[in-house]
Amino acid sequence: MLDKEPNEFRESDTFSQIWLLFRKNRIALFSFYATLALLLIAILAPVLAPYSSDMQFVGEELTPPSWNSAGKVIYFFGTDDLGRDMFSRLLNGITYTFGSSVIVVILVAIIGGFLGIVAGMSKGLKSRMLGHFLDAFLSIPILLISIVIATLMEPSLPNAMLAILLALLPHFIHEIYQAVHQELRKEYVLVLKLEGVSNSMLLKETILPNISVRYIREIIRSFSVTLMEISALSFISLGAQRPTPEWGAMIRDSLELLYLAPWTVILPGIAIILSLLVVVIFGNGLCKTIDKYYE
């Protein structure tokens, strides 16, 4: 502890203070632990699931969930038309839907954040041309771009992830680019420049802390878009293919059973909605906490 630099003490104190403030928001704290649980399940799903996602139980096709009078406890969420356990498939679906979304968003946050900061710190004609180029992408919906890219490749989950990554990057870069540019126009930044503060020090000590909330919000927005688009591309047969237990693909494969076995469609839909809510509530709670800390 005594070997730490003053900056390290300040940073560790900042994190601890933000954490103490964040803990006071019970809903956000619960969503934080729920997000960690989803990440853990995404890694350990094959071990946690009671059955293999492809295991078929002959004679148990379309068994209702356990809370139904005709249901069985061993098939807690029932079975699908092939006799596969819905609970096991939903658990494994966390890996394919939630886990894939996390991977895409991490790549977008790293690549898009770096390129956005570099573009934002640049000056002159190149900066203006890049700004206009990124502005042009904002007029095209991300889903449309990802569909166009996905149709050019073989339908699969990895290719759907790549399509969404390429579609999201220009939007993410644009947001970080705009955030950095807005900070550079502020009076106190201009004063620091006149005092001879280097761009690297200005970026580290002033700009990055001030755009952190916007950066987090953009990550949360990107995650929401990614999770929905992975499910959407699988639903229209451009993403995960049979028998992958991706939630969007599960809805597609069971859509004809909506009236006969509604749980095969409703449960994956609920999983998508709950995952989105958990991450969005956690992200918004974190942003509010950081804003409150710097007030």
Side-chain angles (χ1 to χ4, degrees):
M1 290 292 290
L2 295 177
D3 294 332
K4 281 189 175 183
E5 296 293 330
N7 284 340
E8 293 182 87
F9 280 111
R10 185 178 63 186
E11 289 172 6
S12 61
D13 183 63
T14 297
F15 288 126
S16 62
Q17 291 298 321
I18 290 174
W19 171 247
L20 289 174
L21 284 173
F22 182 77
R23 287 178 57 185
K24 295 178 181 179
N25 188 338
R26 298 298 182 185
I27 297 176
L29 185 63
F30 171 79
S31 65
F32 168 68
Y33 288 127
T35 301
L36 289 181
L38 284 171
L39 288 171
L40 188 62
I41 294 171
I43 298 170
L44 301 175
V47 178
L48 297 175
Y51 310 107
S52 169
S53 62
D54 299 328
M55 185 180 291
Q56 300 180 17
F57 297 91
V58 179
E60 300 292 348
E61 293 85 356
L62 299 180
T63 299
S66 59
W67 54 83
N68 188 290
S69 58
K72 298 180 180 180
V73 176
I74 57 173
Y75 309 120
F76 188 69
F77 284 159
T79 60
D80 62 9
D81 57 328
L82 297 178
R84 296 173 296 189
D85 179 52
M86 284 294 296
F87 180 69
S88 298
R89 288 180 65 77
L90 286 170
L91 272 185
N92 281 280
I94 296 176
T95 302
Y96 293 101
T97 307
F98 186 86
S100 298
S101 301
V102 170
I103 292 171
V104 171
V105 169
I106 289 173
L107 291 174
V108 168
I110 294 173
I111 300 171
F114 174 76
L115 294 178
I117 290 169
V118 171
M121 295 297 291
S122 63
K123 300 177 183 178
L125 183 60
K126 288 184 179 179
S127 178
R128 289 195 295 272
M129 288 179 63
L130 181 61
H132 292 308
F133 175 75
L134 293 172
D135 286 338
F137 269 90
L138 297 182
S139 61
I140 308 174
I142 296 173
L143 180 59
L144 179 59
I145 298 173
S146 58
I147 288 174
V148 170
I149 297 173
T151 54
L152 301 175
M153 300 182 288
E154 182 181 351
S156 67
L157 183 58
N159 285 342
M161 292 168 63
L162 177 60
I164 295 167
L165 172 65
L166 295 175
L168 266 177
L169 268 177
H171 288 257
F172 197 95
I173 293 170
H174 180 270
E175 286 299 318
I176 304 304
Y177 166 82
Q178 289 292 338
V180 173
H181 253 278
Q182 289 171 11
E183 286 297 317
L184 288 174
R185 293 194 196 104
K186 292 183 177 178
E187 291 183 4
Y188 68 90
V189 174
L190 296 175
V191 171
L192 289 173
K193 281 186 172 182
L194 291 173
E195 291 178 354
V197 176
S198 64
N199 283 339
S200 59
M201 184 63 69
L202 194 66
L203 182 66
K204 180 182 177 182
E205 297 293 335
T206 304
I207 295 175
L208 291 182
N210 288 342
I211 68 168
S212 60
V213 170
R214 189 165 175 178
Y215 183 74
I216 294 170
R217 289 191 189 280
E218 189 60 23
I219 289 174
I220 299 302
R221 189 191 72 84
S222 297
F223 177 84
S224 303
V225 171
T226 301
L227 193 142
M228 291 298 295
E229 291 203 6
I230 282 177
S231 300
L233 290 178
S234 296
F235 183 78
I236 61 177
S237 300
L238 290 176
Q241 303 297 304
R242 293 186 180 94
T244 305
E246 194 281 321
W247 293 335
M250 290 173 66
I251 295 174
R252 177 199 65 209
D253 295 340
S254 302
L255 199 57
E256 295 178 356
L257 303 171
L258 180 59
Y259 296 106
L260 181 62
W263 61 89
T264 58
V265 177
I266 293 173
L267 289 176
I270 291 174
I272 293 171
I273 293 170
L274 289 180
S275 298
L276 278 175
L277 282 176
V278 162
V279 176
V280 169
I281 291 171
F282 163 54
N284 288 338
L286 180 59
C287 290
K288 288 179 181 178
T289 301
I290 295 173
D291 280 336
K292 188 176 180 180
Y293 175 78
Y294 285 111
E295 281 180 356

